């Protein structure tokens, strides 16, 4: 009479792995809101011209520059963290 124990054991293990994969047992980490920074440097180099720009600001959201230009053109949200670099 053949020994079916290894086959039965393998079937049980495979069934268990398919029913409860690790990816389904762990909840995804909640996404953190992106921090917004308003940078106020003394000068800004824009990479397009050889001159430095005075009175320009940069708005950074998360890890990306969202806007850069004259201070009057930059519209920062009220929750932006202001970093004055002009000193």
């Amino acid at each position: 009479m053949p020994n079916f124990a290894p086959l039965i054991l393998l079937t049980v293990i495979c069934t268990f792995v398919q029913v409860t994969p690790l990816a389904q047992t762990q909840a995804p980490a909640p996404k953190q809101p992106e921090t917004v920074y308003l940078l106020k440097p003394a000068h800004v180099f824009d990479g397009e011209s050889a001159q430095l720009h005075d009175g320009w600001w940069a708005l950074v959201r998360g890890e990306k520059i969202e806007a850069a230009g004259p201070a009057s053109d930059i519209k920062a949200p009220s929750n932006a963290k202001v970093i004055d670099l002009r000193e």
Side-chain angles (χ1 to χ4, degrees):
M1 183 168 200
N3 185 358
F4 291 107
L7 182 59
I8 293 172
L9 181 60
L10 181 61
T11 303
V12 170
I13 290 173
C14 289
T15 303
F16 177 74
V17 171
Q18 290 175 354
V19 173
T20 58
L22 182 61
Q24 291 181 357
T25 60
Q26 296 177 351
K31 185 174 181 180
Q32 297 294 325
E34 293 181 319
T35 304
V36 179
Y37 296 98
L38 178 61
L39 305 179
K40 297 180 177 182
H43 315 285
V44 171
F45 174 72
D46 66 3
E48 294 182 5
S49 65
Q51 66 181 2
L52 294 175
H53 301 282
D54 295 332
W56 276 33
W57 291 351
L59 186 66
V60 179
R61 184 178 305 272
E63 296 179 0
K64 296 184 180 182
I65 298 172
E66 187 171 284
S72 60
D73 293 348
I74 304 298
K75 307 298 183 231
S78 61
N79 66 335
K81 295 181 180 182
V82 178
I83 300 177
D84 194 339
L85 303 167
R86 295 175 284 190
E87 299 175 355

